[in-house]
Every structure is written in structure tokens, then in C-alpha cells.
Amino acid sequence: MVLENQDNRNLWEKIGDFFSANSIWMKWYCTGCGAIELPPTMTSRFDMERLGMGPMATPRQADVLLITGYLSSKTLRRVIYSYEQMQDPKYIVAFGSCTINGGIYYDSYATINQLDKYIPVDLYIAGCMPRPEGIMNAFADLITMIKKGQANGWRHYQENYEWYKQNQLDSLKEVIIHDEFHE
Amino acid sequence: MMNSMNNIIKQIDDVLTITNSEIITNRQFAIDINSGDVHQSLAYLKSIGFTQLSILTCIDLIANNEFQLIYILNNWELGLFVIVRTIIPRDNPAFVTIINIFPGAKYYEREVHEFFGVTFEGNDSYSKPLLLEIWDDIPPLRKDFDPQVYSDSKFPKRDLDKIYRSKIGGVD
Ligand code: SF4
């Protein structure tokens, strides 16, 4: 996947990107081990609020979705569901080697191997698990990317919706969530 | 501790038909029981204080063409665990539910059915999926299931130019 890099935003989009880069609300989906690195990143030691980032309770009000580790096919259905609820513009940051190539779960019957086949990932953080320094660094990069208009994953998802849907169906058979507690 | 455990084992041995018993740690012992005796044994163990079913699980003994069902019970008064083991055939594995003795076994039986394919007569919901969704292959924790083949067929892999492997003890 190659994301569009040249800048053809109009003035209003530039202004919009400038402001959204400076106030980012995150929603994280604590699927894997990685969630444990977020508390130190958020609290006083690393204090991500100095970058203007804060936690948000629901996907509908969030700008960034953090996927913190491996995803089973079951959780991937929930992730897609949450991602599609978010308002544009929206960004995805994927943590750890599990989201890149399956990591130590490369041969598991339950976990996917490459996250960007199913949803558009703007930024990967390598590591198993990335340390808070790595996460802060990635957030700083994400802010720069948004300001320059390079975090275009959400547009890529709209334009290549069929391709993403086909990949999702190939691996998951059904993206709709059925479970006994909600039916 | 050891003494009270030996007493308990002796007490159990007097009442139940045990084919084998084994001390595992100073708080854990295992007994092997014929599959026909499992229900009365569990009911008896519950009556002498082993009131909590900690887990019900299964082991695939593929070389003998058998499954081993494992019930671990906990006695809170004495701090003791007993592991009750029994063997059932691997072809068309079927057993009878224990939800009349330990109602919580409902979910463990669903799990064992999902991962090993053992059916539990008397538990209405044993065949409902518990952890997996839309599963379409043989139960995944059986030894003849190959997770790599399944993963390759379902989940696309990233093309990497070079794969680095670490050598542990001289093997890849
Ligand atoms: S990359 Fe490592 S730390 Fe992250 S989810 Fe996978 S195994 Fe866990």
C-alpha cells in the first residue's frame, strides 16, 4: 500500500489539519500485550498531554485508533466495527511486530498476520513491545504527518473500500458481529 | 500438610475405585478414574470439601487414540487440589455432563467441545461457540490440526525481502 504523498489540499483543509494535529483524541483497542505501555505514556513520567493528546471514551469522538498488539479474527471484527464508526479524518497507529507480520503469533490459527490488509494503518511502531519513548516518538511523527497532510489512510479506505472489504471477507467470512450476549 | 494429604488420599482410596494416584506437589495430587466412575467420584469429592471446580480441560493423547479429561477441584479448607483424570476414546468422543454436580462446568464443557470436539450429553449448550467465531475446520487444539497450514490459507502474509532467524542451540 502506497499512501498519497503529494500535497493537494486546499487552504481550509490545511487549516483543519493544523488544528486537528494539535488536539488529538485517542481511542485505543487493547487487544494485545501493548496496552501496558500506555499508562506510563499517559501519566506523569512521559506525559503525552504535552503533545496535546488525550484519551477519549468512544470511537465516535476519537481521532486516532491505537491497535495495541495482536488481533484475533474475533477482535478484528470489533476493530473494523469501531473504525467504521469514527468520524473522518481518522488515523490508525499500530503497535508492535504482531500487527506488522504476526510477530510471535505468526502461525496461530486465531490471529491475523498483516493488519494493513484490513484497515489502513498510518503508522507502525516496531518492537515487541515498543517502549513509551518509541510511542512518544511515533505520536510526534503522526502530528507532523497530519500537519503535512500525509496521514491519508482514511481517504485510502474510502477509495479502496472494495479491496479492503474483500480482504476482510476472505479472512473473516463475515464482518458482522454475532454473539450470544447481544442477540 | 503432607500428612493431611496422605490421609485424604487414603480416605478417597477407601471409598472410590482409583486406578492410580500420584502426588504432584505438597498441595496437589492426582487420581486416575475409570470414565464410568467420574460422576459419583466428583459428587463424593464435593461432599468431603472439594467444593470448587477450578477447571475442566482435555489432553489429546493421539498416540493412544485417546482423550484425557481433567477435572481439577479445590478444597478451600485444606488448601488442597485434586486432579481427577479419566480416559475416553478419541473417535466420536462423547461424555456425560457434570453440570448437576458443578453448574459452572457448563462453560468448560463448551470450551472442551470447541477445542477438542468432545460432546457432553445433558448439557444443552455444549455445542454453542464460546471463544471462536465462525470456525470452519477440525477443532484447533487436536494434535492433528496444523495451525501453520490454517494460518497460511486464511491470513495473508507480508512479503519480506529477507527473513532473519535466531539460532538457538545450533538449530533454526
Ligand atoms: S508485538 Fe509483542 S508485545 Fe506486542 S502484542 Fe505481539 S507479542 Fe505482544
Side-chain angles (χ1 to χ4, degrees):
Chain A
M1 184 175 86
V2 179
L3 296 181
E4 212 36 57
N5 264 345
Q6 80 255 60
D7 192 355
N8 38 21
R9 297 171 297 165
N10 64 34
L11 180 65
W12 292 115
E13 284 169 338
K14 278 184 189 162
I15 294 174
D17 280 346
F18 176 81
F19 285 111
S20 54
N22 286 311
S23 118
I24 293 178
W25 296 99
M26 320 183 299
K27 168 87 199 136
W28 55 88
Y29 201 100
C30 301
T31 59
C33 333
I36 210 66
E37 299 291 345
L38 281 168
T41 317
M42 286 167 60
T43 49
S44 52
R45 170 90 194 271
F46 292 96
D47 189 18
M48 70 180 184
E49 198 139 340
R50 66 203 152 99
L51 299 181
M53 304 185 73
M56 181 40 76
T58 73
R60 285 174 203 274
Q61 289 154 298
D63 306 304
V64 183
L65 181 61
L66 306 182
I67 310 286
T68 60
Y70 56 81
L71 280 174
S72 68
S73 46
K74 188 171 177 174
T75 33
L76 180 59
R77 289 191 187 97
R78 275 88 184 153
V79 163
I80 294 168
Y81 184 70
S82 310
Y83 179 68
E84 290 184 351
Q85 284 182 36
M86 290 168 64
Q87 312 271 342
D88 294 338
K90 51 193 174 185
Y91 316 100
I92 293 185
V93 177
F95 284 44
S97 47
C98 281
T99 50
I100 299 175
N101 63 3
I104 58 172
Y105 302 101
Y106 67 98
D107 67 345
S108 163
Y109 58 85
T111 60
I112 58 148
N113 285 256
Q114 187 186 343
L115 181 59
D116 55 39
K117 291 264 185 213
Y118 311 100
I119 44 176
V121 177
D122 292 293
L123 202 60
Y124 278 113
I125 314 177
C128 174
M129 186 59 214
R131 296 264 311 132
E133 295 90 331
I135 299 174
M136 292 299 286
N137 192 12
F139 289 161
D141 284 353
L142 180 70
I143 289 173
T144 322
M145 281 169 71
I146 296 174
K147 278 189 185 147
K148 289 190 184 155
Q150 291 168 352
N152 278 330
W154 56 279
R155 228 174 249 142
H156 195 266
Y157 192 71
Q158 286 174 359
E159 285 159 10
N160 301 281
Y161 188 70
E162 306 287 307
W163 183 82
Y164 282 109
K165 269 287 156 256
Q166 196 52 49
N167 286 341
Q168 292 167 5
L169 292 176
D170 286 348
S171 289
L172 303 177
K173 272 207 182 145
E174 247 181 54
V175 184
I176 299 169
I177 299 164
H178 302 285
D179 71 42
E180 64 184 297
F181 303 108
H182 295 102
E183 286 183 352
Chain B
M1 194 78 244
M2 224 49 188
N3 249 343
S4 75
M5 187 152 89
N6 282 327
N7 290 343
I8 291 262
I9 295 179
K10 190 157 181 331
Q11 185 191 347
I12 293 173
D13 200 15
D14 287 344
V15 180
L16 305 178
T17 359
I18 295 174
T19 54
N20 178 34
S21 74
E22 186 187 335
I23 291 177
I24 293 172
T25 69
N26 63 356
R27 291 197 175 272
Q28 249 184 18
F29 63 98
I31 54 180
D32 289 293
I33 284 186
N34 288 333
S35 59
D37 297 336
V38 165
H39 294 83
Q40 54 185 15
S41 306
L42 292 180
Y44 172 71
L45 288 168
K46 187 176 178 186
S47 77
I48 61 165
F50 288 89
T51 46
Q52 180 186 311
L53 174 70
S54 293
I55 195 171
L56 153 59
T57 185
C58 183
I59 296 180
D60 185 0
L61 304 172
I62 193 166
N64 304 345
N65 204 26
E66 286 166 344
F67 280 131
Q68 186 174 45
L69 288 178
I70 302 195
Y71 300 84
I72 300 183
L73 310 185
N74 181 9
N75 185 331
W76 283 95
E77 311 274 271
L78 302 175
L80 277 186
F81 290 90
V82 55
I83 303 172
V84 180
R85 304 186 290 212
T86 192
I87 296 284
I88 58 170
R90 195 169 183 280
D91 304 318
N92 300 320
F95 203 59
V96 181
T97 177
I98 60 158
I99 54 176
N100 296 330
I101 309 166
F102 293 106
K106 183 176 166 192
Y107 292 96
Y108 290 131
E109 289 176 352
R110 279 171 64 177
E111 192 184 6
V112 170
H113 175 263
E114 186 162 68
F115 287 116
F116 296 90
V118 181
T119 64
F120 289 92
E121 190 188 331
N123 178 351
D124 296 338
S125 57
Y126 77 81
S127 60
K128 274 204 214 161
L130 182 67
L131 301 174
L132 302 173
E133 279 180 343
I134 324 183
W135 183 252
D136 54 359
D137 207 318
I138 63 170
L141 293 194
R142 288 194 180 195
K143 292 272 192 270
D144 49 1
F145 173 80
D146 187 342
Q148 181 76 66
V149 171
Y150 185 83
S151 169
D152 288 347
S153 73
K154 277 266 150 135
F155 309 121
K157 308 273 187 273
R158 189 179 294 280
D159 286 328
L160 300 169
D161 302 335
K162 186 162 171 44
I163 294 185
Y164 294 92
R165 287 178 198 279
S166 59
K167 285 201 173 151
I168 299 168
V171 286
D172 274 348

